[in-house]
Amino acid sequence: RCRPDRPAVRVQVLVSPKRRRSPVHPTPVKPPATQEMPAIAIEEDWEDDRDPIRVLITPKPPLLQRGVVQGLLFTGFWTAMAALVASGGWLAIQLILNPGAVRGLGWVFPGWQGSSLSAGHTPRSLAVIRQGAAEVGLSLGEPLGLEVDAAAVTAHSDLLIPVFAADANCASAIAPASPSVPPCSHLVELRVYRPYPSARQPLLQLLDRLAVAGPQESFVLAPLQSDASDSLGSSRSLPLLSVDRMVGTSPSANLVWFQLGGQWKQGNTQLAFGQVGYYDPTQSRLHLLTQWTSPAGKAAAWQDAIAGGTTELVVDQTIGLEPGFKVYQLMGTSDRQLQPISLSQAALDNATYQRAIALAQSGLWSPALVLMQWVKARAAWSASAQAQLAVVELHAQATRQQAERSWENPSQKSWHC
């Protein structure tokens, strides 16, 4: 009999495999182990030989218990969502106000390297910083303002301060460019400081530091080798002596480019060498990239060599009357690597173009340029081919200028063909 004022129940009918007679009155039976609620078994006895039927009645679980569980799950989900939104807001504010202090984002943003140096260093005055460096045998060079536009450097701009170490066994007569650095000192570290607001005196907060070392002597003397099998110089590291801003307009408008420089001198032969680096103001980080060497004694500079709207890094490696230039392109937006433009392999699968590359490898720059321009006007062209053409044209122009120059000694004249 069903009554509307009582909750619905679940009825299970179990059939016994044996025929047996049992008392007429109801007998309590232990419910199966899988049932959550107590049950009452009612056994009916029959007069005939039919199998007895057991009716197992199990009440449904209370609605109140299920509602509590659902409420707890709902509350936990929305609490976790609110915490996630709050964390994202805090991270966004830190990235805007102080992105250098945020770390651990390399798995999301490739190349991300947050700096936490400022959290562990107390702001100090420049005099105190110099005194601390002198106590460990170091000296500080002149600060360099880190602004993309050199004319926009103010008292609130970040500062790049070179750190020098003295060499007791120094045999070089070349002194560092900074007058505050004693002779026979070489560059060992770069530091970035940010002016810290203070009512008493100007203070500086350390943001980043980077150890530096000069290139090997064999790399510096490589352009002087007459044969690829020759090996000039040793594996010892030559000292870096100065830090200067890059000359020319850089291809990236949001970075501060600089270069470290040194000199090698022996008899009448003198070479300049160095290393190119940049400072990222958004991350407050220093990076060092390509090393360079120049037998002409000229520093690397940005120059529009390919005429494609961006500038390239050009290193003058001219030796005597033989022109030589090495051109680097800035590749990638995150890694920011400088890749040299090579003439060792032709960029086009064209017989005439390959013949032009062979002429360029032999130093016949003007005939090579004529053939490459002929191919450009008649065949499919590519960006790599344009880069190689620009390098050949740079050498051809230098050869033409030498040919048109008037020399007092006619034997020194380079004829243009």
Side-chain angles (χ1 to χ4, degrees):
R1 184 181 299 178
C2 298
R3 297 182 58 181
D5 57 342
R6 291 188 179 181
V9 296
R10 184 178 55 187
V11 178
Q12 296 182 358
V13 179
L14 304 179
V15 180
S16 174
K18 297 182 179 181
R19 296 182 177 181
R20 64 183 181 87
R21 296 186 180 273
S22 60
V24 179
H25 58 80
T27 303
V29 179
K30 184 177 180 180
T34 57
Q35 300 298 328
E36 299 180 357
M37 302 299 297
I40 300 176
I42 302 176
E43 184 176 337
E44 299 283 350
D45 193 12
W46 299 87
E47 296 293 340
D48 55 9
D49 293 337
R50 289 180 297 180
D51 293 339
I53 299 178
R54 297 179 181 178
V55 180
L56 185 63
I57 303 176
T58 305
K60 297 183 66 175
L63 297 178
L64 179 60
Q65 182 178 359
R66 290 185 297 175
V68 171
V69 174
Q70 293 178 356
L72 291 176
L73 293 176
F74 183 82
T75 304
F77 172 77
W78 285 109
T79 303
M81 292 297 296
L84 182 62
V85 172
S87 301
W90 175 86
L91 180 60
I93 295 175
Q94 291 297 318
L95 290 175
I96 296 174
L97 300 180
N98 189 16
V102 181
R103 304 189 67 186
L105 295 181
W107 64 280
V108 179
F109 306 105
W112 181 273
Q113 298 176 349
S115 174
S116 61
L117 285 177
S118 58
H121 291 78
T122 305
R124 302 175 182 177
S125 64
L126 182 58
V128 174
I129 297 175
R130 290 186 183 275
Q131 181 180 359
E135 293 177 355
V136 293
L138 302 177
S139 55
L140 302 184
E142 295 298 325
L144 180 67
L146 293 176
E147 292 288 350
V148 177
D149 185 6
V153 175
T154 64
H156 303 286
S157 301
D158 295 345
L159 299 177
L160 174 63
I161 299 182
V163 181
F164 295 86
D167 187 359
N169 300 323
C170 175
S172 176
I174 302 176
S178 177
S180 61
V181 178
C184 288
S185 297
H186 60 280
L187 187 63
V188 295
E189 187 181 14
L190 297 176
R191 297 181 184 178
V192 177
Y193 290 89
R194 175 169 296 172
Y196 186 84
S198 176
R200 297 183 179 180
Q201 58 179 343
L203 301 178
L204 298 178
Q205 176 74 59
L206 180 63
L207 295 182
D208 192 20
R209 59 196 308 174
L210 181 65
V212 298
Q216 295 183 359
E217 186 180 27
S218 58
F219 169 81
V220 175
L221 302 181
L224 300 180
Q225 298 178 4
S226 58
D227 191 352
S229 61
D230 296 339
S231 179
L232 300 178
S234 62
S235 59
R236 70 184 182 97
S237 179
L238 297 182
L240 296 168
L241 306 174
S242 62
V243 181
D244 300 293
R245 293 181 65 98
M246 292 287 298
V247 177
T249 304
S250 65
S252 53
N254 58 339
L255 302 177
V256 182
W257 290 87
F258 60 88
Q259 61 180 331
L260 317 178
Q263 295 181 0
W264 182 91
K265 185 176 182 181
Q266 186 175 0
N268 296 328
T269 305
Q270 182 172 342
L271 291 84
F273 60 89
Q275 193 168 4
V276 176
Y278 69 88
Y279 173 69
D280 190 347
T282 60
Q283 299 182 11
S284 303
R285 297 288 294 182
L286 290 168
H287 299 268
L288 290 178
L289 299 182
T290 303
Q291 297 177 342
W292 58 267
T293 177
S294 173
K298 298 181 181 179
W302 295 112
Q303 182 179 338
D304 189 5
I306 303 180
T310 60
T311 55
E312 292 74 35
L313 183 69
V314 179
V315 180
D316 190 350
Q317 294 186 341
T318 301
I319 303 177
L321 301 179
E322 182 65 26
F325 297 94
K326 199 161 188 177
V327 183
Y328 297 83
Q329 285 180 303
L330 187 64
M331 307 297 292
T333 57
S334 58
D335 295 337
R336 296 185 174 94
Q337 298 178 354
L338 287 170
Q339 299 292 342
I341 301 176
S342 175
L343 298 179
S344 60
Q345 186 176 0
L348 297 180
D349 187 12
N350 183 284
T352 304
Y353 187 88
Q354 294 175 354
R355 190 180 308 115
I357 292 296
L359 292 175
Q361 293 173 353
S362 302
L364 302 176
W365 303 105
S366 296
L369 178 62
V370 172
L371 289 180
M372 295 179 75
Q373 291 176 342
W374 185 89
V375 174
K376 181 179 180 180
R378 292 168 175 79
W381 202 245
S382 65
S384 301
Q386 180 62 33
Q388 290 184 337
L389 184 146
V391 175
V392 172
E393 185 176 7
L394 193 63
H395 287 80
Q397 291 177 355
T399 304
R400 187 181 303 109
Q401 293 175 359
Q402 291 178 359
E404 295 174 353
R405 188 177 303 171
S406 175
W407 298 93
E408 295 181 0
N409 186 358
S411 62
Q412 294 182 348
K413 188 170 184 178
S414 175
W415 295 98
H416 172 66
C417 56

